[in-house]
Amino acid sequence: MEKIALYRKYRPKNFSEVLGQIHVTKTLENALKEGRASHAYLFTGPRGVGKTTVARILATAINCEKRKGGEPCGSCENCKMILAGKAIDILEIDAASNRGIDEIRELKEKIKFSPSKLKYKVFIVDEVHMLTKEAFNALLKTLEEPPEYALFVLATTEIHKVPQTILSRCQRFDFKRISLKDLAEKLQFIAKEEKIKISKDAISMIAEASDGGMRDAESYLDQIASYKESGEIEVKDIIELLGMSDFKNLYNLISALKEGKAKEAIIQINELAENGADLDQFIKNLVEYLRKVLHIKVVGDSNIQMTEEHFELTKKLAKDLDLAYILEMIKTVLNYSNAFKNLPLPQLPLEMAIVSLTEGRVGVTKTAEKYEREGEVYAKEDRDIKGENIDGEWPDFLLEVKSQNNSIHALLKVCSYEIKGDELCLYFPYKFHKERIEDIKNKKIVEKALNKVFNRDLKVKCFIKNDMPKPEEAAKTETELLEKALDIFGGEVVN
Ligand SMILES: [Zn+2]
């Protein structure tokens, strides 16, 4: 038997089961009770908070033969037919995939005839803002004079894209993000029903990452349960298997930046990389977290989805940070991640952002400028020996290293190289890369591969050659940066 997704299986079947939208469900229930339901509704709000679910419950309730107050009975012929998805009088259109006039034309055709089995014909149009202009006009005509038996429910995540002419003909309901507590309780309930063993902290983490969306929360639980089939699911499983970033990592990184502790921050990033974390995802989560810090700083504590403990820590962090520095952090992280996204060394953009953001802050021991000077000194000492070009052998050498260690291989891919006498000279963009190769364990791996490929006894010597682009050159234009920021922020402007 095919496995049913959790969010389908546990989708609410009546109004009282819907979480966090009581302002909507109560009003609809009352309207049904009093027999004054409208012919057109518009549901707006973030994705995955129950808009389509409520639309279906409404479609069921309005057609139920034994309605209890405003709730569908769930057992009459009509309820059963609708719940089984077999009611031809209920028409669902996903405007995200059917944008065109044809679907709306079909809708216009169907609306001419009274329902075949049910009392009401219900048209649910999901992501209605995606319709083309022509389709909107066609829809408008039907909304202007809907037949007695028709009920429209239009749903959208982007209300500002729905024409005013449509809005003015619908009764509008604004769906809210679901509270962390409600999300966690529902997840706990599902886990118990499904016999999924999962720790309380892991539940909190999923709830927090879902940002108020039940569908996301349920599908995260679904994914993690199918990845890990035995033993209790813990926070570390979620980090490892779903690529989510632990709050602790985000918080610690920003705290280290705040105090100018470049070394701690870079070690932290490299540990993450070595433990197999997805750093692109981490950067995304970092920017999202910084956005929350920014919100708390500017707007106060409105609508932030975080556990109480995390919220208190973040509030303190926001208080301690200057607004200008929060903006600088967001800008710098986006700037570097955008400029260096195609490099084979995923931690580099973060490392550069760290160096740039800690420069001149309290506790900084060495700045990038200092590193550069050290590099010059090394280079001068060796200028008298002529280097040997090894471009021909280099790819074989890289392959040999790769067979031993992936992360060393990644570091070697971005350095420049030459053989001088009996030494392989490697030139790295940053001191921390140089130091990682100089680590005895890593150096041994490099030298072993070296001697195997070159068939002679060579030693490794590392240098710093700071010819990476300067921060101000990294972002091509301000506009590009802004576009990237708006992309990550989902086009919202902080007010
Ligand atoms: Zn019924």
Side-chain angles (χ1 to χ4, degrees):
M1 201 183 81
E2 205 184 324
K3 193 173 170 289
I4 310 163
L6 289 182
Y7 88 89
R8 280 186 210 282
K9 189 167 170 186
Y10 291 93
R11 176 174 268 165
K13 291 184 179 62
N14 57 52
F15 290 121
S16 66
E17 287 173 14
V18 177
L19 289 176
Q21 315 297 351
I22 196 154
H23 58 295
V24 177
T25 50
K26 269 287 156 228
T27 314
L28 289 173
E29 257 191 272
N30 286 339
L32 286 166
K33 234 187 276 179
E34 291 157 18
R36 45 170 187 80
S38 156
H39 280 287
Y41 290 97
L42 183 92
F43 293 171
T44 176
R47 59 188 289 268
V49 296
K51 297 186 294 297
T52 320
T53 298
V54 172
R56 288 183 191 163
I57 297 170
L58 177 61
T60 318
I62 204 163
N63 281 303
C64 174
E65 290 162 337
K66 294 174 192 157
R67 203 162 57 222
K68 298 166 183 164
E71 293 276 29
C73 75
S75 53
C76 71
E77 282 309 307
N78 287 354
C79 279
K80 279 199 274 190
M81 194 173 16
I82 299 170
L83 287 172
K86 288 178 182 156
I88 51 166
D89 294 319
I90 312 279
L91 193 76
E92 281 194 45
I93 300 170
D94 177 15
S97 46
N98 303 296
R99 300 197 57 200
I101 189 90
D102 286 349
E103 283 74 21
I104 298 298
R105 199 170 283 148
E106 190 194 339
L107 185 154
K108 273 174 77 184
E109 277 308 306
K110 286 195 174 157
I111 207 167
K112 284 185 197 153
F113 307 101
S114 49
S116 56
K117 292 252 168 63
L118 302 173
K119 277 184 281 182
Y120 283 86
K121 265 196 169 171
V122 185
F123 300 88
I124 300 171
V125 187
D126 212 2
E127 298 297 355
V128 69
H129 64 273
M130 300 284 279
L131 290 180
T132 58
K133 198 169 164 243
E134 292 75 18
F136 265 129
N137 287 336
L139 177 63
L140 188 62
K141 291 224 168 65
T142 59
L143 284 179
E144 272 165 355
E145 281 173 69
E148 270 306 299
Y149 50 77
L151 169 66
F152 285 91
V153 185
L154 314 178
T156 181
T157 48
E158 295 183 54
I159 188 85
H160 57 279
K161 290 186 183 160
V162 180
Q164 191 57 41
T165 45
I166 301 272
L167 291 182
S168 65
R169 285 184 167 74
C170 299
Q171 191 180 347
R172 171 175 165 175
F173 286 105
D174 288 61
F175 283 61
K176 293 179 183 158
R177 287 195 163 80
I178 300 162
S179 77
L180 215 59
K181 191 171 157 280
D182 281 348
L183 282 178
E185 277 175 13
K186 177 85 184 273
L187 290 174
Q188 201 81 62
F189 170 78
I190 296 174
K192 206 175 153 211
E193 290 288 307
E194 296 289 313
K195 300 188 172 53
I196 299 169
K197 278 185 253 162
I198 180 165
S199 76
K200 217 171 158 239
D201 285 346
I203 292 256
S204 291
M205 186 173 189
I206 293 179
E208 211 170 74
S210 308
D211 201 26
M214 186 58 82
R215 193 170 54 210
D216 280 354
E218 286 165 346
S219 62
Y220 286 142
L221 181 65
D222 222 345
Q223 282 177 54
I224 193 76
S226 59
Y227 279 137
K228 189 168 172 167
E229 281 165 344
S230 62
E232 192 183 53
I233 298 164
E234 289 171 51
V235 166
K236 69 172 171 44
D237 299 317
I238 295 172
I239 296 170
E240 195 180 319
L241 298 169
L242 298 187
M244 282 179 193
S245 308
D246 193 0
F247 174 85
K248 241 185 355 218
N249 280 323
L250 300 169
Y251 177 82
N252 289 350
L253 178 63
I254 296 171
S255 303
L257 291 177
K258 178 177 71 123
E259 287 156 29
K261 293 179 176 163
K263 197 174 154 194
E264 272 92 333
I266 284 165
I267 289 171
Q268 195 199 330
I269 295 304
N270 280 283
E271 274 173 7
L272 278 176
E274 266 158 33
N275 293 332
D278 177 347
L279 288 184
D280 286 338
Q281 183 64 34
F282 183 79
I283 289 175
K284 199 168 165 269
N285 292 149
L286 180 64
V287 175
E288 279 164 2
Y289 182 65
L290 282 168
R291 181 202 182 195
K292 287 180 181 170
V293 176
L294 182 70
H295 265 254
I296 295 177
K297 183 86 184 172
V298 180
V299 222
D301 47 13
S302 65
N303 215 7
I304 296 282
Q305 295 277 348
M306 259 189 234
T307 64
E308 211 169 302
E309 181 200 352
H310 292 174
F311 181 70
E312 285 309 316
L313 284 167
T314 308
K315 208 160 87 175
K316 173 94 177 31
L317 196 61
K319 192 168 160 271
D320 291 347
L321 288 164
D322 296 338
L323 186 56
Y325 192 57
I326 300 174
L327 293 172
E328 183 65 24
M329 282 197 271
I330 297 174
K331 198 175 142 179
T332 310
V333 172
L334 287 174
N335 200 336
Y336 281 115
S337 66
N338 201 21
F340 298 109
K341 61 183 166 207
N342 296 322
L343 276 190
L345 199 58
Q347 62 265 52
L348 185 65
L350 275 169
E351 291 170 339
M352 293 174 81
I354 289 166
V355 171
S356 162
L357 285 166
T358 46
E359 251 183 320
R361 287 188 80 81
V362 197
V364 181
T365 48
K366 283 186 180 178
T367 65
E369 197 194 340
K370 182 89 181 299
Y371 293 161
E372 209 170 336
R373 276 205 298 275
E374 284 178 21
E376 268 172 37
V377 175
Y378 281 117
K380 229 177 255 163
E381 280 171 9
D382 291 282
R383 217 165 269 161
D384 47 336
I385 310 172
K386 201 175 172 294
E388 181 185 332
N389 184 319
I390 47 164
D391 285 349
E393 296 88 347
W394 191 251
D396 288 340
F397 167 66
L398 284 184
L399 274 179
E400 182 58 32
V401 173
K402 195 176 182 189
S403 72
Q404 301 300 317
N405 185 307
N406 251 329
S407 108
I408 301 180
H409 172 252
L411 284 165
L412 291 174
K413 273 176 85 172
V414 292
C415 71
S416 43
Y417 51 84
E418 61 186 344
I419 286 182
K420 284 181 171 181
D422 58 356
E423 282 174 342
L424 170 72
C425 301
L426 300 173
Y427 304 93
F428 292 94
Y430 277 101
K431 187 180 169 113
F432 35 88
H433 297 154
K434 169 178 171 278
E435 283 175 353
R436 284 189 66 203
I437 296 294
E438 282 174 336
D439 179 282
I440 296 198
K441 196 172 79 220
N442 294 342
K443 205 167 178 176
K444 273 209 177 115
I445 295 174
V446 177
E447 289 185 341
K448 208 175 146 206
L450 196 59
N451 297 342
K452 190 170 171 190
V453 173
F454 290 87
N455 203 17
R456 63 193 224 227
D457 203 15
L458 291 164
K459 294 275 167 251
V460 171
K461 204 170 173 188
C462 303
F463 303 97
I464 301 153
K465 196 172 89 183
N466 199 343
D467 58 358
M468 300 308 286
K470 296 277 179 289
E472 58 270 22
E473 290 160 14
K476 286 180 200 91
T477 62
E478 279 291 316
T479 329
E480 199 182 74
L481 182 65
L482 189 67
E483 270 168 16
K484 172 92 178 169
L486 283 175
D487 194 33
I488 287 193
F489 285 175
E492 277 179 56
V493 178
V494 179
N495 49 30

